[in-house]
Amino acid sequence: MTDEMNRSAFDKLVAGMDAVERSDMLEKINQSAVSVVQLVETEELYPEKNVSLHIRFKGESALYRFFLWLRSLLEKKDPEKIYNEDVLASMARRINRDHPGILNHKNGLIDSVFYEHLRSLRSSAEFFKPYFNIIDENPGDFYVFLSSFVTPELSDIITAEADPFSLSFDTEPDLATKNRLLKNLDSILNNIDGAAKSNLYSAVSSLNWLRQFTRLPYIHFTSQFTNLTGNHYTCPYRNAVNDFSSFAAVFSNVMSVQNEVLEAMLMFSQRKEITKNAQDKDIERTIKEFIAKANQCFGIIQMFISNVPIIKVGKIINADYDWLPGNIDGVEGWFPNFRSHWRKIIDVRWADWLRERKKKNLETYLKNDFELSEFPVMKYRPWQALWMRVPFACELTGGFLSWFCENEYEDMMPYLNDVMMEGVFIRNENRIEYSEGLNLFAQAMSQMQELLDRLAPEGEYGAQFEEFATSRLRSFQVQNQIDSMMTTTETEIRECVKKFGKGARMIDKCLSGVLSEERDKVHDGLQNINVIKGHNNRVWKDSLRTCWETLKKAVFYLSELEPIDAATEQ
């Protein structure tokens, strides 16, 4: 695996696409989209946000406090309770003056304008909610994905110091080596640069704010409103207290959602499609539509923030000047999830490195066994000409079997057929087993050749792939046809490998009885082994022995390559 391929594979685990694809998509987002609306908390920092009622009461004039004392005698209430009511009533009058339609304090009602705001906010929340449904399935995965936008240098450091592919293939793959990499990872994550960590935390916090916004109890809150006259909806203070507290916690802790967060949300949900076709115009249109809709939603949110003094309204409906909203939760657990998913990535990369190391070690013997410097690929791979990346789950087994079919099979069959046609087996059951094995072996090679013919440029599949590549037609129907051809190709290769392995092992056992000096109790030789081909018997036996050795080597390599292919598919 080259450094470039290795880096690309690492990027795909981190971000679902390689660095070039991610860079292209970010450039498209930045070119296609207008600036994201920035949310700004507009409620002024009135003293009521920081000063208790008791301290404010003591700051009032002596005359006013005396007047409150007289009222307390008549109303039989504590003077501070009466003062609380006066302050809240004054606050409600200011709200009615500056933001009419929010409150009807005289009747203890939240008014219809607030209701309309709730309905608009709900539509905005519904837009973002599906993205969080995807994110919340695996938050750690998303946090790592987000970091590739906010702190791309972090993955570069991890690649250099904690990625198993930073090791030489000569390194002993023991537990101590893997633990050293994980220790390096922990050290990197625990010592993230101050500015980078701040940027990442800010991005995660803004993401969490938006998540909490989508989770607010819109349906329950709006159901508390009734329309006694026409379309005029109102809600008694007492019915709004619990739901309003949830809203106040979110809207009194407003955070602007960064561009990178929105980009990551979109691309995380689209990364499979983007990976298939990073140049697709449909993706560009999706980006434009997403940012435009997000801006529309943020405009609605900002309108609510600007027109509803959330803390003052909360004090009024709770009838308590000292009431303050709570804080939003949820951001505290991001880093353990972040670390945990990075460790999963290193685990996956460790398994990949072990497979690649095994493959490299096999290549060392491949030169001696078959005079090949690397594992062959299939003669025809027409899917590589397509505009999108098409995964192929039988790269190694298909490639080796394809090569064997074209370079070894024809030379071997005459000698293997001679045993069947001219050999007299001492044991009849060995003849039956050999015949069955030879048939399976031949079927596997015939099936592989037929598959190669279909994949050839003039073949059924090859011509269809060429048509798709030339027309660059993109639709679900085309995608389904491509998927179907790839599935059929992979299924047939697996069937060929299965037949080849079973047939070759049966032939191997029978030939071991014919050619080996050490025989088991089941397989015996040929009665006429020394007379087949007459004067050319010695040459024939040497050639048969070569075929036998080649067959055993082929079975060995396929058995080693099959789990590598299977693991790569996962």
Side-chain angles (χ1 to χ4, degrees), residues 336-502:
N337 280 329
F338 181 64
R339 183 200 305 273
S340 175
H341 194 74
W342 266 117
R343 291 178 72 92
K344 288 180 182 178
I345 289 175
I346 298 304
D347 283 341
V348 171
R349 293 289 283 174
W350 177 259
D352 289 344
W353 180 76
L354 290 177
R355 288 194 297 271
E356 196 66 21
R357 181 179 182 273
K358 182 177 182 180
K359 179 182 168 184
K360 289 295 181 184
N361 288 337
L362 285 173
E363 285 180 353
T364 303
Y365 303 103
L366 195 65
K367 179 70 174 176
N368 294 329
D369 290 337
F370 294 109
E371 298 184 355
L372 294 171
S373 57
E374 60 184 6
F375 281 101
V377 297
M378 290 189 68
K379 183 177 181 180
Y380 303 114
R381 294 182 293 169
W383 51 84
Q384 289 200 319
L386 294 176
W387 66 90
M388 63 182 181
R389 184 179 297 102
V390 178
F392 178 48
C394 299
E395 193 73 47
L396 294 173
T397 50
F400 184 82
L401 211 56
S402 166
W403 174 86
F404 191 93
C405 179
E406 295 212 313
N407 293 273
E408 297 289 343
Y409 173 65
E410 294 294 337
D411 294 336
M412 294 172 61
M413 280 306 290
Y415 301 100
L416 298 178
N417 280 329
D418 286 341
V419 174
M420 187 68 239
M421 300 302 294
E422 300 184 33
V424 180
F425 285 86
I426 295 174
R427 295 188 178 189
N428 188 55
E429 57 267 29
N430 292 165
R431 181 186 62 79
I432 295 172
E433 182 180 3
Y434 185 85
S435 176
E436 184 180 345
L438 190 60
N439 283 335
L440 285 172
F441 178 69
Q443 286 174 23
M445 292 292 90
S446 177
Q447 190 172 346
M448 175 55 69
Q449 187 57 59
E450 289 174 4
L451 177 61
L452 290 174
D453 291 341
R454 286 204 301 276
L455 293 173
E458 66 279 5
E460 176 190 352
Y461 286 4
Q464 207 162 355
F465 275 115
E466 176 64 23
E467 181 183 343
F468 292 151
T470 303
S471 66
R472 300 182 70 81
L473 180 64
R474 303 167 190 178
S475 68
F476 286 116
Q477 184 178 3
V478 169
Q479 183 62 57
N480 288 337
Q481 286 180 272
I482 292 171
D483 291 343
S484 176
M485 287 189 291
M486 293 306 298
T487 299
T488 301
T489 299
E490 291 168 352
T491 299
E492 291 203 22
I493 289 173
R494 293 188 183 103
E495 288 178 359
C496 289
V497 171
K498 185 176 181 180
K499 288 179 181 178
F500 184 99
K502 183 177 180 180

